[in-house]
Amino acid sequence: MAAPMTRILSAFQRATWSSLKAVEPSAGVRQHPVPLLVPVRTKKRYFIPPAVGLKSKRDMNPEAKARAAGVVLRQEYIERPINIYCTAGIFDPYIPPEGDARLSSLSKEGLKQRTEQIRQSASSQLAIRKIKEFDSEFSTKGFAERAQELFIEAHNALCTFNKEKLHSLVTERCYPEMTRGNRYKTLQWRFVESLEAPKVVHARCPDMVTKGNLYGQVTVRMHSRQTLAIYDRFGRLMLGSEEQPKDVLEYLVIERHLVNPYGRWRLHGKIVPSWAPAKDPIIKTVAIPGPDLKPGEEFDSLNYQVPKAEAVQWSK
């Protein structure tokens, strides 16, 4: 191997020496040697904006490109995820009898309501029997007292805006209904006393998605005395009073995911009967525009008259 390499090097040296001898300068003339490296003319390069060529890339199918590169793409699901830890509503809601907590059970209307409740309690008894299969400690008397304690804890957490505790006491359906519109308000709520012992009046055990995915919904009747005061962000009273308690009759729906071993009873909703009286109107704080003052003038509130709105003709 050494001999052929030597021959190649000697031939290359002879060719280089002959080329140098050919370009030797003549006598008396000074010339620059011919450069051995000749620069090659390259292509002119211009600035290409980044937006050029994106259209072809957008039209390209990413799945086909990934398949050609040997990459497996994960399938994308367009369906919306749902939460099966609680139901989306109240199944077969309880219909409170008209005049509840005002009619005596000895009157004619009271006896009719009592017989109707006995007739409808058959489905509730079947649901309670099924609930006891998953919750062995369930009893109608003890559950009503627990539901009242759950109601008090949930409203106390709402007043202090304790989100972590409130999520553990109410379901995902009930949480937005309790917290909607309370961002810039101050709530003062207090449970004074219970006028009647709470009791279970309705129970259902529906299923969702599959036949064995059971939920327990128990309606508790609670007649109590409470105080509620709502203040706006300026500290002005909008609704209620902290000193004047009111008698409140409520029908609370408590729910639990029965097949979940770690499930717990949580506040799910409230049933408002159609014959319930209308709620008190909310007093809102409105800014009244004042007069346009010139530089150096002071506002005199005693002599200023609030302008009245002009009558406008409108149709719905």
Side-chain angles (χ1 to χ4, degrees), residues 56-75:
S56 60
K57 294 182 181 179
R58 291 174 185 170
D59 299 339
M60 187 180 299
N61 190 3
E63 295 183 1
K65 185 178 179 181
R67 199 180 300 111
V71 180
V72 180
L73 291 179
R74 183 181 177 183
Q75 184 179 0

Side-chain angles (χ1 to χ4, degrees), residues 12-23:
F12 177 75
Q13 293 173 356
R14 287 197 300 270
T16 306
W17 180 254
S18 60
S19 62
L20 290 175
K21 292 171 84 174
V23 296

Side-chain angles (χ1 to χ4, degrees), residues 27 42-43 57 59 67 82 86 109 122 126 149 155 175 183 189 191 202 208 211 230 257 265 267 272 290-291 313:
T42 57
K43 182 181 177 181
K57 294 182 181 179
D59 299 339
R67 199 180 300 111
I82 62 173
C86 72
E109 290 80 4
L126 294 176
E149 296 175 358
H155 281 72
Y175 181 83
R183 180 165 183 168
W189 179 87
F191 184 86
H202 194 71
M208 190 174 69
K211 190 173 183 180
I230 302 178
H257 195 194
W265 292 100
L267 186 62
V272 180
Q313 181 71 27

Side-chain angles (χ1 to χ4, degrees), residues 83-259:
N83 181 20
I84 62 173
Y85 196 58
C86 72
T87 57
I90 301 174
F91 290 86
D92 192 9
Y94 173 70
I95 302 177
E98 187 173 358
D100 193 6
R102 295 195 303 270
L103 294 178
S104 174
S105 59
L106 300 178
S107 62
K108 183 178 180 181
E109 290 80 4
L111 290 174
K112 287 183 179 179
Q113 294 178 4
R114 186 63 180 170
T115 54
E116 186 69 18
Q117 290 177 2
I118 294 174
R119 189 178 64 85
Q120 293 181 354
S121 63
S123 300
S124 298
Q125 293 297 330
L126 294 176
I128 290 173
R129 191 179 305 172
K130 189 172 291 187
I131 290 173
K132 287 183 178 181
E133 296 178 1
F134 297 91
D135 189 0
S136 58
E137 300 179 356
F138 181 84
S139 63
T140 55
K141 185 177 181 181
F143 181 81
E145 296 176 356
R146 263 197 305 164
Q148 184 173 351
E149 296 175 358
L150 177 67
F151 174 80
I152 297 173
E153 291 181 7
H155 281 72
N156 288 334
L158 178 64
C159 293
T160 57
F161 290 97
N162 191 347
K163 298 182 180 179
E164 290 76 11
K165 187 176 182 181
L166 192 61
H167 271 294
S168 63
L169 297 174
V170 302
T171 59
E172 287 75 13
R173 173 188 176 271
C174 183
Y175 181 83
E177 294 182 357
M178 291 185 66
T179 58
R180 186 181 295 116
N182 297 337
R183 180 165 183 168
Y184 300 107
K185 297 180 180 64
T186 303
L187 307 180
Q188 297 293 339
W189 179 87
R190 183 168 57 92
F191 184 86
V192 180
E193 60 178 346
S194 182
L195 301 178
E196 296 182 34
K199 63 179 180 179
V200 176
V201 296
H202 194 71
R204 288 294 181 268
C205 192
D207 52 7
M208 190 174 69
V209 182
T210 58
K211 190 173 183 180
N213 192 25
L214 297 177
Y215 297 84
Q217 290 186 354
V218 181
T219 305
V220 179
R221 178 185 178 273
M222 194 175 71
H223 191 198
S224 60
R225 184 168 293 169
Q226 308 169 12
T227 61
L228 174 65
I230 302 178
Y231 299 91
D232 60 2
R233 58 179 178 173
F234 304 106
R236 298 181 176 91
L237 183 65
M238 298 180 63
L239 179 68
S241 174
E242 295 188 47
E243 291 79 15
Q244 183 179 359
K246 284 190 175 183
D247 300 344
V248 183
L249 178 63
E250 295 175 311
Y251 300 91
L252 310 175
V253 180
I254 315 297
E255 186 186 84
R256 178 186 172 180
H257 195 194
L258 297 178
V259 297

Side-chain angles (χ1 to χ4, degrees), residues 279-312:
K279 296 181 180 180
D280 297 336
I282 295 178
I283 304 173
K284 295 184 178 180
T285 302
V286 182
I288 301 176
D292 297 333
L293 300 178
K294 296 180 180 179
E297 292 183 353
E298 294 183 359
F299 176 71
D300 188 4
S301 59
L302 297 178
N303 299 329
Y304 178 72
Q305 295 182 357
V306 179
K308 296 183 180 179
E310 299 179 359
V312 179

